[in-house]
Each structure stands twice: as structure tokens, then as C-alpha cells.
Amino acid sequence: MVSKDFHSLTVAEIVPETEEARSIRFAVPSDLADLYRFRAGQHLTLRTFIDGEEVRRNYSLCTAPDDGDLMVTVKQIAGGAFSNWVARELRAGDTLDVMPPHGSFTIDFDASQSRRYVAFAGGSGITPIMSLIRTALTTEPNSRFTLFYGNRDSNSIIFLEQLAALKDRYLGRFEL
């Protein structure tokens, strides 16, 4: 069962992905490591106070569980209180209230399986899919993954370099 409690986690790094998107990597203290283990496709609920008002948002984890990183990507949207606060204010070394991972957009991966995965994503919808792709390719060596990924222009492609690297690393298993 997932804890409904928030924990104050330190922002280890802010990674600019595009002009509008930033990934937030959290440092997880060793005493909370088990609580923050996650399955590919899950998300985090983040909480902060902006102008004295509590603001909560859910963001999908974009890393694979075996990567050793707890990371989400926030895309700035017009009028978005939280996303604009992240873009303007949040820095490495700051703390943020984070609920343990939850959500059911997951799959049970099995190294003995040989499956064919197909995913469709648009814009920032790539974040949970990225976690699933990375996990499928590393966990199931006989499986293949095809991704259809749409964006309004080439400058808005989140994870462009990571996707290209996966395509090169998993020739014949990952199609983009």
C-alpha cells in the first residue's frame, strides 16, 4: 500500500530538456529508499506553496526503476501555477514535498517474454512512456518496442537525445 504522506526531498538537479520542459531529479535519503521504489509508468504527486496557497500536481516518472534516479519532467504551460513556478523559482538544492510513487499505468515485465510493444505519445505525454520503453528494453531482451511520437516542432521534442541513444543502442528492437 502506498503511503499518503509527503516527504521533503531535495532537488538534486534540474535538467533543461527543451525551452519549455525541465526534469527534476530528486535525492532520496537511504532511510526512504524502499518507500520511493517505483514501477515503470508510475507518477509522483508534488506539493508546494505558491503565494501562500497549497498547489499539488502529478508528474510521471521518466526514468526506469533500475536507473537509480527518481526523476519527473515538468512542461511549462500558459497560466500553469506549478509549471511556471518550477521554471522561475525551483533550483537544485531546494526541497519539495513529494508523495511516494503511485499509479497503475504499469506492466509486469518478464525477462523470459518476447513481446511487441507499441506506444503513441504526444508532447509531454512521453514521460511515462519513456519509463516503460527503457524498462522493457533492459528487462526483456527478446522484446521489441515501437514508438509513435508527435510534437508541434523539432525544438519541442522532449528526450530527443535519449530517444536517439536508445534507438542506436537497441538496433532492431526499438523503432521511433
Side-chain angles (χ1 to χ4, degrees):
M1 177 160 207
V2 174
S3 167
K4 299 292 184 194
D5 297 328
F6 284 93
H7 299 275
S8 184
L9 298 183
T10 300
V11 174
E13 180 181 23
I14 303 284
V15 179
E17 301 291 354
T18 67
E19 192 172 305
E20 300 171 323
R22 288 150 190 78
S23 291
I24 306 167
R25 185 170 59 83
F26 294 99
V28 179
S30 58
D31 63 322
L32 295 176
D34 287 342
L35 193 57
Y36 282 88
R37 289 191 203 289
F38 65 95
R39 296 179 63 198
Q42 288 190 307
H43 60 272
L44 299 176
T45 300
L46 309 181
R47 176 179 70 182
T48 194
F49 291 85
I50 301 172
D51 297 328
E53 186 175 325
E54 181 181 303
V55 181
R56 295 181 184 201
R57 294 293 184 271
N58 292 325
Y59 292 101
S60 297
L61 287 147
C62 58
T63 51
D66 291 341
D67 289 346
D69 285 323
L70 189 74
M71 184 179 276
V72 298
T73 302
V74 177
K75 182 178 178 186
Q76 196 172 355
I77 57 172
F82 194 91
S83 66
N84 285 292
W85 176 83
V86 166
R88 287 188 320 266
E89 306 291 332
L90 192 64
R91 301 288 178 259
D94 291 347
T95 59
L96 199 54
D97 293 337
V98 182
M99 190 179 285
H102 52 284
S104 58
F105 185 63
T106 60
I107 188 168
D108 291 323
F109 293 99
D110 180 346
S112 68
Q113 294 295 311
S114 177
R115 303 183 213 192
R116 176 74 174 174
Y117 297 99
V118 177
F120 295 84
S124 61
I126 188 65
T127 56
I129 303 300
M130 191 67 169
S131 181
L132 293 164
I133 292 168
R134 295 167 67 96
T135 305
L137 293 173
T138 58
T139 304
E140 296 182 357
N142 297 312
S143 292
R144 298 178 52 158
F145 208 112
T146 300
L147 172 65
F148 295 88
Y149 182 28
N151 286 276
R152 72 176 170 258
D153 57 51
S154 60
N155 290 331
S156 63
I157 300 173
I158 300 173
F159 308 130
L160 177 62
E161 291 179 18
Q162 295 95 320
L163 287 166
L166 286 170
K167 190 170 184 266
D168 291 344
R169 181 174 178 191
Y170 295 102
L171 289 172
R173 293 187 51 221
F174 179 55
E175 297 173 288
L176 177 60

